[in-house]
Amino acid sequence: MTAAKQPVWDVVALGEALVEFNQTRPGEPQYLQGFGGDTSNAVIAAARAGARTAYLTRLGSDAFGQALLDLWAREGVGTSAVERDAQHPTGIYFVTHGAAGHEFSYLRAGSAASRMAPAWLLGAPVSVLQQCRILHVSGISLAVSASACDTAYEAMRVARAAGARVAFDPNLRLKLWPLARARACIAHAVSLCDIFLPGLDDMAALLGLHDADAIADWGHAQGAATVVVKLGAEGVLLSSADPAVPRQRVPGRSVALVDATGAGDCFDGNLLARLALGDDLAAAVRYANTAASLAVQGFGAVAPLPTAQQVGALL
């Protein structure tokens, strides 16, 4: 970004947001309504960290779509590039609980967000993409539909052409697409990103890679300049494509785990917020680790996302 054209947005995310119905007691038909969608969670986390944020998506012209718009308004997330669709619904999902843990059931086929297409970016989204510091996209953004995948790729190209950095988290969900397609699409997305944010479990399932250094090497080979490998309780591995910059491990924080549903999204949003606000990578990772350690101590994807004040108190 040049001095003459300061970005309006620190962190912008693209993907599908959903309304959540979480079973309150195993085996009983009562559900608590909440919100989900990995990139939406991440951009809310970034907003709570103090970043200027916006979200790019499509919603149904229904009550669930309005509920998401109301959520983003409360969180200070810009929605000028969110499009409503009278013909296709907002996606929803259910979380049920049993002996094997929690299970997700999605009703998102044919959703408004799945109808994203590259031509849609030529409207309001393109101005947002051209005025941001960092664009965040995930593997779920690609998996929603073939046209959504193409849209995400085009958004990544537009943002980088305007001088923004692009962050990509593979966030593998094999319920959404076949493994072979996931491998090909995710590899191409990594070639279009500057900051690659893989988790250890995802890369083991995607490529059979179980070693953090091997994951970092793969990310750099695809074209990512920076790789941040999330290792759960073991912390994070930071790696730069610059051979003069040594790899670094940042330890995790030991806390009482309540619900890890949105931990990765919380980490991503806080990391990108701090990078956009001027932190170096190691400092941003320490901040994001602390934020994620707070988020896993509460239930749900959005409610326990911490504020900058809460993270600062621990740091």
PDB file of all heavy atoms in Angstrom, residues 238-262:
ATOM      1  N   LEU A 238       6.849 -21.139  13.484  1.00  0.00           N
ATOM      2  CA  LEU A 238       6.918 -20.024  12.538  1.00  0.00           C
ATOM      3  C   LEU A 238       8.036 -20.294  11.550  1.00  0.00           C
ATOM      4  O   LEU A 238       9.153 -20.634  11.937  1.00  0.00           O
ATOM      5  CB  LEU A 238       7.232 -18.713  13.256  1.00  0.00           C
ATOM      6  CG  LEU A 238       6.458 -18.358  14.516  1.00  0.00           C
ATOM      7  CD1 LEU A 238       6.862 -16.966  14.978  1.00  0.00           C
ATOM      8  CD2 LEU A 238       4.984 -18.416  14.262  1.00  0.00           C
ATOM      9  N   SER A 239       7.738 -20.089  10.254  1.00  0.00           N
ATOM     10  CA  SER A 239       8.763 -20.335   9.244  1.00  0.00           C
ATOM     11  C   SER A 239       8.658 -19.301   8.134  1.00  0.00           C
ATOM     12  O   SER A 239       7.561 -18.977   7.672  1.00  0.00           O
ATOM     13  CB  SER A 239       8.600 -21.736   8.649  1.00  0.00           C
ATOM     14  OG  SER A 239       9.595 -21.990   7.671  1.00  0.00           O
ATOM     15  N   SER A 240       9.807 -18.799   7.711  1.00  0.00           N
ATOM     16  CA  SER A 240       9.886 -17.838   6.612  1.00  0.00           C
ATOM     17  C   SER A 240      10.610 -18.474   5.436  1.00  0.00           C
ATOM     18  O   SER A 240      11.527 -19.288   5.608  1.00  0.00           O
ATOM     19  CB  SER A 240      10.642 -16.582   7.051  1.00  0.00           C
ATOM     20  OG  SER A 240      10.928 -15.747   5.935  1.00  0.00           O
ATOM     21  N   ALA A 241      10.210 -18.100   4.227  1.00  0.00           N
ATOM     22  CA  ALA A 241      10.898 -18.571   3.031  1.00  0.00           C
ATOM     23  C   ALA A 241      12.286 -17.963   2.909  1.00  0.00           C
ATOM     24  O   ALA A 241      13.110 -18.446   2.127  1.00  0.00           O
ATOM     25  CB  ALA A 241      10.063 -18.248   1.793  1.00  0.00           C
ATOM     26  N   ASP A 242      12.554 -16.915   3.662  1.00  0.00           N
ATOM     27  CA  ASP A 242      13.872 -16.285   3.671  1.00  0.00           C
ATOM     28  C   ASP A 242      14.828 -17.157   4.486  1.00  0.00           C
ATOM     29  O   ASP A 242      14.651 -17.301   5.704  1.00  0.00           O
ATOM     30  CB  ASP A 242      13.771 -14.888   4.285  1.00  0.00           C
ATOM     31  CG  ASP A 242      15.095 -14.136   4.275  1.00  0.00           C
ATOM     32  OD1 ASP A 242      16.139 -14.750   3.971  1.00  0.00           O
ATOM     33  OD2 ASP A 242      15.078 -12.933   4.594  1.00  0.00           O
ATOM     34  N   PRO A 243      15.840 -17.753   3.861  1.00  0.00           N
ATOM     35  CA  PRO A 243      16.741 -18.642   4.603  1.00  0.00           C
ATOM     36  C   PRO A 243      17.523 -17.938   5.698  1.00  0.00           C
ATOM     37  O   PRO A 243      18.068 -18.592   6.596  1.00  0.00           O
ATOM     38  CB  PRO A 243      17.674 -19.185   3.512  1.00  0.00           C
ATOM     39  CG  PRO A 243      17.599 -18.189   2.399  1.00  0.00           C
ATOM     40  CD  PRO A 243      16.210 -17.637   2.443  1.00  0.00           C
ATOM     41  N   ALA A 244      17.571 -16.619   5.653  1.00  0.00           N
ATOM     42  CA  ALA A 244      18.291 -15.871   6.685  1.00  0.00           C
ATOM     43  C   ALA A 244      17.482 -15.750   7.976  1.00  0.00           C
ATOM     44  O   ALA A 244      18.020 -15.343   9.014  1.00  0.00           O
ATOM     45  CB  ALA A 244      18.650 -14.484   6.167  1.00  0.00           C
ATOM     46  N   VAL A 245      16.190 -16.085   7.921  1.00  0.00           N
ATOM     47  CA  VAL A 245      15.319 -15.988   9.098  1.00  0.00           C
ATOM     48  C   VAL A 245      15.135 -17.384   9.684  1.00  0.00           C
ATOM     49  O   VAL A 245      14.529 -18.252   9.047  1.00  0.00           O
ATOM     50  CB  VAL A 245      13.957 -15.379   8.728  1.00  0.00           C
ATOM     51  CG1 VAL A 245      13.067 -15.285   9.971  1.00  0.00           C
ATOM     52  CG2 VAL A 245      14.128 -14.003   8.096  1.00  0.00           C
ATOM     53  N   PRO A 246      15.643 -17.659  10.878  1.00  0.00           N
ATOM     54  CA  PRO A 246      15.533 -19.011  11.443  1.00  0.00           C
ATOM     55  C   PRO A 246      14.104 -19.355  11.837  1.00  0.00           C
ATOM     56  O   PRO A 246      13.311 -18.478  12.186  1.00  0.00           O
ATOM     57  CB  PRO A 246      16.438 -18.949  12.681  1.00  0.00           C
ATOM     58  CG  PRO A 246      16.472 -17.499  13.058  1.00  0.00           C
ATOM     59  CD  PRO A 246      16.374 -16.736  11.772  1.00  0.00           C
ATOM     60  N   ARG A 247      13.784 -20.634  11.733  1.00  0.00           N
ATOM     61  CA  ARG A 247      12.476 -21.096  12.216  1.00  0.00           C
ATOM     62  C   ARG A 247      12.406 -20.957  13.723  1.00  0.00           C
ATOM     63  O   ARG A 247      13.414 -21.034  14.427  1.00  0.00           O
ATOM     64  CB  ARG A 247      12.249 -22.552  11.806  1.00  0.00           C
ATOM     65  CG  ARG A 247      11.946 -22.692  10.339  1.00  0.00           C
ATOM     66  CD  ARG A 247      11.575 -24.085   9.921  1.00  0.00           C
ATOM     67  NE  ARG A 247      11.273 -24.066   8.485  1.00  0.00           N
ATOM     68  CZ  ARG A 247      11.055 -25.138   7.749  1.00  0.00           C
ATOM     69  NH1 ARG A 247      11.090 -26.336   8.313  1.00  0.00           N
ATOM     70  NH2 ARG A 247      10.793 -25.028   6.467  1.00  0.00           N
ATOM     71  N   GLN A 248      11.188 -20.755  14.203  1.00  0.00           N
ATOM     72  CA  GLN A 248      11.001 -20.484  15.626  1.00  0.00           C
ATOM     73  C   GLN A 248       9.769 -21.206  16.127  1.00  0.00           C
ATOM     74  O   GLN A 248       8.735 -21.237  15.457  1.00  0.00           O
ATOM     75  CB  GLN A 248      10.850 -18.971  15.843  1.00  0.00           C
ATOM     76  CG  GLN A 248      10.635 -18.554  17.281  1.00  0.00           C
ATOM     77  CD  GLN A 248      10.493 -17.050  17.415  1.00  0.00           C
ATOM     78  OE1 GLN A 248      10.708 -16.294  16.465  1.00  0.00           O
ATOM     79  NE2 GLN A 248      10.117 -16.588  18.594  1.00  0.00           N
ATOM     80  N   ARG A 249       9.866 -21.797  17.289  1.00  0.00           N
ATOM     81  CA  ARG A 249       8.698 -22.406  17.930  1.00  0.00           C
ATOM     82  C   ARG A 249       8.243 -21.525  19.097  1.00  0.00           C
ATOM     83  O   ARG A 249       9.063 -21.095  19.911  1.00  0.00           O
ATOM     84  CB  ARG A 249       9.017 -23.813  18.430  1.00  0.00           C
ATOM     85  CG  ARG A 249       9.118 -24.839  17.304  1.00  0.00           C
ATOM     86  CD  ARG A 249       9.384 -26.235  17.829  1.00  0.00           C
ATOM     87  NE  ARG A 249       9.494 -27.192  16.739  1.00  0.00           N
ATOM     88  CZ  ARG A 249       8.524 -28.032  16.373  1.00  0.00           C
ATOM     89  NH1 ARG A 249       7.375 -28.025  17.018  1.00  0.00           N
ATOM     90  NH2 ARG A 249       8.707 -28.879  15.377  1.00  0.00           N
ATOM     91  N   VAL A 250       6.956 -21.263  19.120  1.00  0.00           N
ATOM     92  CA  VAL A 250       6.361 -20.485  20.209  1.00  0.00           C
ATOM     93  C   VAL A 250       5.484 -21.440  21.006  1.00  0.00           C
ATOM     94  O   VAL A 250       4.562 -22.045  20.456  1.00  0.00           O
ATOM     95  CB  VAL A 250       5.519 -19.315  19.657  1.00  0.00           C
ATOM     96  CG1 VAL A 250       4.848 -18.560  20.802  1.00  0.00           C
ATOM     97  CG2 VAL A 250       6.377 -18.376  18.830  1.00  0.00           C
ATOM     98  N   PRO A 251       5.777 -21.644  22.286  1.00  0.00           N
ATOM     99  CA  PRO A 251       5.005 -22.628  23.067  1.00  0.00           C
ATOM    100  C   PRO A 251       3.563 -22.196  23.274  1.00  0.00           C
ATOM    101  O   PRO A 251       3.234 -21.008  23.237  1.00  0.00           O
ATOM    102  CB  PRO A 251       5.765 -22.682  24.400  1.00  0.00           C
ATOM    103  CG  PRO A 251       6.475 -21.376  24.489  1.00  0.00           C
ATOM    104  CD  PRO A 251       6.826 -20.999  23.078  1.00  0.00           C
ATOM    105  N   GLY A 252       2.712 -23.183  23.488  1.00  0.00           N
ATOM    106  CA  GLY A 252       1.313 -22.902  23.783  1.00  0.00           C
ATOM    107  C   GLY A 252       1.132 -22.554  25.252  1.00  0.00           C
ATOM    108  O   GLY A 252       2.076 -22.573  26.044  1.00  0.00           O
ATOM    109  N   ARG A 253      -0.125 -22.222  25.599  1.00  0.00           N
ATOM    110  CA  ARG A 253      -0.457 -21.926  26.997  1.00  0.00           C
ATOM    111  C   ARG A 253      -1.274 -23.083  27.555  1.00  0.00           C
ATOM    112  O   ARG A 253      -2.168 -23.596  26.883  1.00  0.00           O
ATOM    113  CB  ARG A 253      -1.273 -20.632  27.098  1.00  0.00           C
ATOM    114  CG  ARG A 253      -0.440 -19.367  26.970  1.00  0.00           C
ATOM    115  CD  ARG A 253      -1.336 -18.142  27.016  1.00  0.00           C
ATOM    116  NE  ARG A 253      -0.554 -16.924  27.141  1.00  0.00           N
ATOM    117  CZ  ARG A 253      -0.274 -16.319  28.284  1.00  0.00           C
ATOM    118  NH1 ARG A 253      -0.721 -16.823  29.409  1.00  0.00           N
ATOM    119  NH2 ARG A 253       0.437 -15.213  28.309  1.00  0.00           N
ATOM    120  N   SER A 254      -0.986 -23.484  28.762  1.00  0.00           N
ATOM    121  CA  SER A 254      -1.706 -24.574  29.414  1.00  0.00           C
ATOM    122  C   SER A 254      -2.926 -24.016  30.140  1.00  0.00           C
ATOM    123  O   SER A 254      -2.796 -23.215  31.065  1.00  0.00           O
ATOM    124  CB  SER A 254      -0.776 -25.298  30.398  1.00  0.00           C
ATOM    125  OG  SER A 254      -1.465 -26.349  31.031  1.00  0.00           O
ATOM    126  N   VAL A 255      -4.120 -24.424  29.674  1.00  0.00           N
ATOM    127  CA  VAL A 255      -5.365 -23.940  30.281  1.00  0.00           C
ATOM    128  C   VAL A 255      -6.350 -25.101  30.398  1.00  0.00           C
ATOM    129  O   VAL A 255      -6.158 -26.156  29.797  1.00  0.00           O
ATOM    130  CB  VAL A 255      -6.011 -22.816  29.432  1.00  0.00           C
ATOM    131  CG1 VAL A 255      -5.121 -21.593  29.368  1.00  0.00           C
ATOM    132  CG2 VAL A 255      -6.361 -23.307  28.036  1.00  0.00           C
ATOM    133  N   ALA A 256      -7.420 -24.894  31.146  1.00  0.00           N
ATOM    134  CA  ALA A 256      -8.486 -25.882  31.266  1.00  0.00           C
ATOM    135  C   ALA A 256      -9.376 -25.798  30.027  1.00  0.00           C
ATOM    136  O   ALA A 256     -10.028 -24.779  29.793  1.00  0.00           O
ATOM    137  CB  ALA A 256      -9.299 -25.625  32.530  1.00  0.00           C
ATOM    138  N   LEU A 257      -9.379 -26.854  29.222  1.00  0.00           N
ATOM    139  CA  LEU A 257     -10.136 -26.857  27.969  1.00  0.00           C
ATOM    140  C   LEU A 257     -11.608 -27.111  28.236  1.00  0.00           C
ATOM    141  O   LEU A 257     -11.983 -28.083  28.888  1.00  0.00           O
ATOM    142  CB  LEU A 257      -9.574 -27.932  27.034  1.00  0.00           C
ATOM    143  CG  LEU A 257     -10.318 -28.152  25.719  1.00  0.00           C
ATOM    144  CD1 LEU A 257     -10.236 -26.913  24.843  1.00  0.00           C
ATOM    145  CD2 LEU A 257      -9.765 -29.364  24.981  1.00  0.00           C
ATOM    146  N   VAL A 258     -12.455 -26.204  27.713  1.00  0.00           N
ATOM    147  CA  VAL A 258     -13.903 -26.376  27.795  1.00  0.00           C
ATOM    148  C   VAL A 258     -14.471 -26.728  26.424  1.00  0.00           C
ATOM    149  O   VAL A 258     -15.200 -27.696  26.261  1.00  0.00           O
ATOM    150  CB  VAL A 258     -14.579 -25.100  28.342  1.00  0.00           C
ATOM    151  CG1 VAL A 258     -16.089 -25.214  28.286  1.00  0.00           C
ATOM    152  CG2 VAL A 258     -14.115 -24.839  29.774  1.00  0.00           C
ATOM    153  N   ASP A 259     -14.123 -25.957  25.391  1.00  0.00           N
ATOM    154  CA  ASP A 259     -14.644 -26.178  24.038  1.00  0.00           C
ATOM    155  C   ASP A 259     -13.663 -25.566  23.049  1.00  0.00           C
ATOM    156  O   ASP A 259     -13.444 -24.353  23.057  1.00  0.00           O
ATOM    157  CB  ASP A 259     -16.021 -25.523  23.905  1.00  0.00           C
ATOM    158  CG  ASP A 259     -16.652 -25.715  22.520  1.00  0.00           C
ATOM    159  OD1 ASP A 259     -16.084 -26.463  21.699  1.00  0.00           O
ATOM    160  OD2 ASP A 259     -17.701 -25.105  22.265  1.00  0.00           O
ATOM    161  N   ALA A 260     -13.084 -26.410  22.198  1.00  0.00           N
ATOM    162  CA  ALA A 260     -12.071 -25.935  21.242  1.00  0.00           C
ATOM    163  C   ALA A 260     -12.657 -25.619  19.875  1.00  0.00           C
ATOM    164  O   ALA A 260     -11.906 -25.417  18.909  1.00  0.00           O
ATOM    165  CB  ALA A 260     -10.974 -26.986  21.095  1.00  0.00           C
ATOM    166  N   THR A 261     -13.987 -25.521  19.774  1.00  0.00           N
ATOM    167  CA  THR A 261     -14.643 -25.365  18.476  1.00  0.00           C
ATOM    168  C   THR A 261     -14.048 -24.241  17.639  1.00  0.00           C
ATOM    169  O   THR A 261     -13.753 -24.418  16.467  1.00  0.00           O
ATOM    170  CB  THR A 261     -16.156 -25.118  18.667  1.00  0.00           C
ATOM    171  OG1 THR A 261     -16.723 -26.217  19.367  1.00  0.00           O
ATOM    172  CG2 THR A 261     -16.843 -24.969  17.325  1.00  0.00           C
ATOM    173  N   GLY A 262     -13.874 -23.054  18.206  1.00  0.00           N
ATOM    174  CA  GLY A 262     -13.425 -21.907  17.416  1.00  0.00           C
ATOM    175  C   GLY A 262     -12.000 -21.489  17.678  1.00  0.00           C
ATOM    176  O   GLY A 262     -11.614 -20.366  17.332  1.00  0.00           O
TER     177      GLY A 262
END
